[in-house]
Structures are given as C-alpha cells and as structure tokens.
Amino acid sequence: MNDDSVRARVRVRAPELIGKGGWLNTGGDDLSLTDLRGKIVLLDFWTFCCVNCLHVLDELRELEEKHRDTLVIIGVHSPKFVHEAEHQAVVDAVERYEVRHPVLDDPELATWKQYAVRAWPTLVVIDPEGYVVAQHAGEGHANALRALVEELEAEHGAKGTLRRGDGPYVPPEPVATDLRFPGKAVLLPSGNLLVSDTTRHQLVELEPDGETVVRRIGDGEFREPQGLAVLPDGKVVVADTVHHALRLFDPATGASERIAGTGRQWWQGSPTAGPALEVDLSSPWDVAWWRGKVWIAMAGVHQLWTYDPETGTVGVAAGTTNEGLVDGPAAEAWFAQPSGLAATEDRLWVADSETSALRWVDPEGLVHTAVGTGLFDFGHRDGEAGQALLQHPLGVTALPDGSVAVSDTYNHALRRFDPASGEVTTLATDLREPSDAVVVGEDVVVVESARHKLTRLRLPEEAVQVESVAHRTRREATEVAPGAFRLDVVFQAPKGQKLDERYGPSTRLLVSSTPPELLLAGEGTGTDLFRELTLNPELAEGVLHVSAMAASCDDDPANEYPACHVHQQDWGVPLRLTEGGATRLPLILAGMDAADG
C-alpha cells in the first residue's frame, strides 16, 4: 500500500491541544487548533530527559526555518519523570535547548493520550483543514517531513486552504548571567575551574572561587558542550555533544581541535570502530580518562566507547545500543543514556540516567549495577543500595574515601554511594538540577545547571535525612489479552522513496520484555516489521521492549546513487494482561495504521 492511498483514505480530525501547564513561547497567549487553521501543524511530543527528542529538535530546525510562513511546529511536552512535570523545569528546558516554537506544557499527558502516543519522540502532522495526515516515531524523519510539507503546501495552496504569514512564536526575553545551564566542570592543573557553558556553546574558565571569569573559549567550535576530562599532559578532552564529536582543548594556548567524530550522527549500520576522525559518534555526553584511554558516555546510542590517543582510534567498549539495564560482559550489557563518568583505579563509574541507575565497569570488562532497577522505577530513597532510588542522575564523582557522589539531577540532590557499606545517603538537597561535581580540597563544587552557577559545599560529616519517595513512570498500561498476540510496526516509505533492499533486508525488529518470562515466544531479532508473540498468562503485567529500524532510498531508477535515510525508534510499552484485551499492538514508525481507516 503506498503512502498516497493511505493519506487519501484516512481522515482523522485532530484532537484539541490540552495541557494543564499552559503555553510557552507565545507571549502569554493560549493556542488552539482553530487558531492554527490554514497552517500545516507539526506536533512534536517530547520530554527533555530524552536524548532522541533532543536529536529531533535539531533535525527540525532547518525545516522550521525554511517553511516558517506555512508550518507551525508545536512542542507538546509530555513528562516521563516527576521533575519533568514541574512547570519551571519545562521553562528551563525550552531555553536550555533553544526551542524556537510554541510549547504546550502537558504534565498530565492529556494531549499525549488524545493522540494515542506511545513513545518519545513522536511527530504528528496536521493539515491546514485540521486533519491528521501522518505520524512518525523516533529519529530520521526530517526528509519525509520535508517532502510531506511541500506536498501539503502545493495541495492546499491550490485549494485555497493554506494561510501564509507569521506563526505564533514569541521569543522570551534573554537573561544575563555568566553561565547559562552549565553542564560539567573539571579542576585544571592551575587550580582554576573549567566549565562547559552548554547553552552558550562555550567553555568558561573560572578562578578558584568558582565565580570570577578568567576567559571564555569557543566561537562556533562547540555546540552544547558537556563532558570534560583532563589528560595526563594537562590538555582537556571536550564532549562536543550536538556536533557528535570530541575536541581537544589546550589551556596553555587556548586552541582546540577536533580529535574524534565526523560531525555526523551515528546510525545503525555505521562503523563502530576505526580512525577517530572517520567514525560517526552520537551525542557524547561525558568523558573520563581511565586505563590509558578516554572513555566516552555515548548517550545517543546507549553505549560506552573509547578513544585511544596513541593510535587515534575509537571503538565501542560496552553496550549493544539496546536501551535498558542489563549487567554482564561489556558486549552484552544494556545502558540507557549514560551521561556521567568517573574513574578510580579499579572502577569506571557510570551515571545511567534513563534507568535512574549508578553502574560501574570493572577492569575485566564486566558491567555491574550499584543502584537502580530499570527504565520505569525512580524516586528519592536512601538506605541499602538494592532498594535505594535515584531520579535521572547526570553526574558521578569519585570522592577521596573511595565512595562516589551522584549528581541526582531530577531530585535536586547530591547523593553518596559507599561501596564498602553498600549504603546510599543524601549529602545535600535544595540544589537545582545538579549535573556534575568536582572535588576541590576538602570541598565539593557542584554544577547547579538550572541555577546557572557553581556551588561550593563542605562534605558533611552526617547525611541529610530525607523523606523517602518512590515513583513509576505515569504512562497508562495497554490492556492486552494473554496468549497469541501480534505486534505490527507500521512503516510507509516517504513519497518518492522505497525500501532500500540493495544490500539485503532494509528493516530490523528487536523484541524483548521485562520481566523476560512475559514472552513465551517471539523475542529476538528479525527482519520483518511484524512479529507473532505469545504472552504469558501467568503474569499480570510487564513491559514490551521494541526496537525498529527501516532504511528507505529515493525511488529513481536513473539515479545510480540515490539518497537514503534511516528511520529508527525504541519503544517500552507497559502491558496489563486481561481477558478480552487487545490481541494486536500497532506501533507507528512512519505513516498511518491501515486498521484506523
């Protein structure tokens, strides 16, 4: 079935946009779909913890600028974590990631439910007459969206239903501070502090007081820099996150150079090892020097990589690209957006943000979990590590006594894990989105990202007592029938393209579950975008993990080298097994589900 016939047959009126948190970037005005009639509307369902959502924000910038007089992009912020439901946190995120379109703050997922969204990010296109014409999940859809917008412009321009002119975006007033959403910090050999000033796309060197600016570094070299690691020679490796690269900064000369990454984002099928400047990376978020190499928290693909300065090469060190929490040999382990690293002699500590976990790698290459249970459980609970809870930590710092401090970002706290006792405690609260910490003498300097400052704390003798809270992700479970069950990933190639079969199958589907016994049959990897599953009737609930990829190319026989595009998405779908529940689960990668027609 081609894309045109689906679009012609499916006519679904777009539900209204509802969000208890109200509107941002509109100058205080509320918007409705009636106000937007005549415009092409692209809804971007996102949440600011999600690195794939941040990739899509960047993918959409060119489309947004080119079609500014016909296209209105609206971000629908749909939180995963409790902290993300706080209105001020959404305000901060919109500035932090330079979102230049209206955003609806939907803390109760009202609009998410109206549009039956199942994953972050999801994109929904509404035509100028108010009908949904396409849905896309995941990354890699920029070309398909461009083609669809141009088609809708032509169609509705001819019908007289297209309204050109300025959209409803109103930029917020800029705020003057020395730092703006700083990400990470390190102590330089000089005693000064170096900070990644993420939203201003620079590095800032500060005097030891953590306040006085010595110099600002970078004029176009960096894009949302994050992690910093001081090498034995005093030079600093910088995770140039949005440029998908590593740069080397020399504090002595002020010069910086790219040492790894091509500037392009890594996609499935790309090389995973080789000369550092020839291999694509994906949102490197932190870096650390451990055992003669620079270790990279590759948040964009849920892996750890290494850069070897001796050979000038990079390669995957741990993780499979599947998102989740699985320990064991490095090549088989699963991570979920690793965002912070800290090295000691015998451990590389990892802040694994999406699983709200503290993990570590041993010298033999085995991955372990100290705190955390998976993608859906989080909170603020101290005590024995097996039952302790964090909420989306972004940083981890080795302390002099062998313990580690965790920048527990969404709990606004600095936590401590002691490997000797196996206990988790709270060192400090009332921080604002702490994203990193640096030991300076007997103090710890915390990067308070959402307060735009560094805060110096004396390591306390006693832990802070906090009231324990535990949360689960608030997405409603899908009611499904036990037994035979069909999974369909819906993918229709964009207009003018076809599936790329030149080098073998162009699609991939990976299915697993939590707990593993939820699936009696159907788990594993295959090339079809559908799968017959058997759900265990002995279980009441669980989570179905689905990862899908499809590659499409320009459908032009005369073109020997057609442009090709990769579309991919991961879903974690909570299921509740009930008699009489659904026996089919459609997940839309691109297009519309034929069963809706």
Side-chain angles (χ1 to χ4, degrees), residues 89-142:
V90 181
V91 173
D92 289 344
V94 167
E95 180 189 349
R96 181 196 298 263
Y97 297 116
E98 299 180 295
V99 179
R100 297 194 177 104
H101 50 249
V103 173
L104 176 64
D105 180 9
D106 182 18
E108 297 177 346
L109 302 180
T111 296
W112 166 286
K113 294 170 187 172
Q114 287 286 316
Y115 282 82
V117 175
R118 297 186 184 275
W120 299 275
T122 290
L123 302 165
V124 176
V125 181
I126 302 170
D127 73 13
E129 295 179 283
Y131 290 94
V132 175
V133 293
Q135 181 171 326
H136 302 263
E139 303 177 51
H141 302 292

Side-chain angles (χ1 to χ4, degrees), residues 46-50 54 77 83-84 86 89-90 93 97 410 433:
W46 69 300
T47 188
F48 63 80
C49 73
C50 159
L54 305 185
H77 189 270
H83 169 59
E84 293 173 312
E86 297 174 16
V90 181
Y97 297 116
Y410 288 4
E433 292 193 17

Side-chain angles (χ1 to χ4, degrees), residues 43-331:
L43 303 182
D44 175 15
F45 289 87
W46 69 300
T47 188
F48 63 80
C49 73
C50 159
V51 71
N52 311 93
C53 300
L54 305 185
H55 292 165
V56 167
L57 281 174
D58 291 326
E59 285 181 5
L60 295 177
R61 294 189 198 278
E62 182 179 349
L63 180 73
E64 185 170 28
E65 187 59 39
K66 183 177 180 181
H67 297 275
R68 187 166 291 279
D69 66 333
T70 60
L71 173 68
V72 175
I73 297 179
I74 291 178
V76 182
H77 189 270
S78 314
K80 171 185 174 181
F81 290 98
V82 169
H83 169 59
E84 293 173 312
E86 297 174 16
H87 182 69
Q88 185 57 47
V90 181
V91 173
D92 289 344
V94 167
E95 180 189 349
R96 181 196 298 263
Y97 297 116
E98 299 180 295
V99 179
R100 297 194 177 104
H101 50 249
V103 173
L104 176 64
D105 180 9
D106 182 18
E108 297 177 346
L109 302 180
T111 296
W112 166 286
K113 294 170 187 172
Q114 287 286 316
Y115 282 82
V117 175
R118 297 186 184 275
W120 299 275
T122 290
L123 302 165
V124 176
V125 181
I126 302 170
D127 73 13
E129 295 179 283
Y131 290 94
V132 175
V133 293
Q135 181 171 326
H136 302 263
E139 303 177 51
H141 302 292
N143 182 69
L145 291 168
R146 176 192 56 75
L148 178 56
V149 167
E150 291 174 356
E151 179 187 341
L152 291 171
E153 283 177 341
E155 176 187 340
H156 289 272
K159 288 174 65 176
T161 50
L162 183 70
R163 177 164 56 90
R164 293 183 179 272
D166 291 339
Y169 169 65
V170 178
E173 290 292 324
V175 182
T177 52
D178 285 333
L179 300 173
R180 206 70 194 158
F181 298 103
K184 307 284 186 182
V186 290
L187 184 65
L188 295 174
S190 66
N192 287 347
L193 291 154
L194 188 67
V195 185
S196 54
D197 196 17
T198 303
T199 298
R200 295 230 176 91
H201 314 298
Q202 292 180 318
L203 309 181
V204 178
E205 185 176 345
L206 302 173
E207 290 186 4
D209 62 10
E211 297 179 2
T212 306
V213 175
V214 176
R215 57 177 166 168
R216 305 188 71 88
I217 301 113
D219 183 15
E221 293 100 318
F222 305 108
R223 184 76 183 170
E224 294 183 22
Q226 286 283 350
L228 306 166
V230 180
L231 300 183
D233 63 4
K235 294 179 181 178
V236 180
V237 176
V238 183
D240 194 3
T241 305
V242 173
H243 280 154
H244 308 295
L246 302 185
R247 295 188 70 85
L248 186 66
F249 168 64
D250 186 347
T253 65
S256 74
E257 62 175 324
R258 180 167 54 90
I259 57 171
T262 63
R264 296 183 301 270
Q265 183 183 340
W266 185 93
W267 290 98
Q268 290 286 352
S270 300
T272 56
L277 291 170
E278 299 175 15
V279 177
D280 300 340
L281 308 181
S282 183
S283 296
W285 209 274
D286 203 6
V287 281
W289 178 254
W290 191 54
R291 297 186 165 258
K293 293 182 180 180
V294 175
W295 286 68
I296 310 163
M298 203 72 78
V301 285
H302 317 300
Q303 290 180 312
L304 304 180
W305 288 40
T306 58
Y307 164 72
D308 186 340
E310 288 292 320
T311 60
T313 57
V314 293
V316 174
T320 64
T321 76
N322 297 321
E323 184 179 15
L325 193 154
V326 176
D327 289 336

Side-chain angles (χ1 to χ4, degrees), residues 15 17 39 109 132 136 183 191 268 356 435 438 496 507 531 547 581 583:
L17 306 176
K39 296 286 191 181
L109 302 180
V132 175
H136 302 263
Q268 290 286 352
S356 296
S435 54
V438 186
T507 56
R531 187 75 58 83
S547 178
T583 58

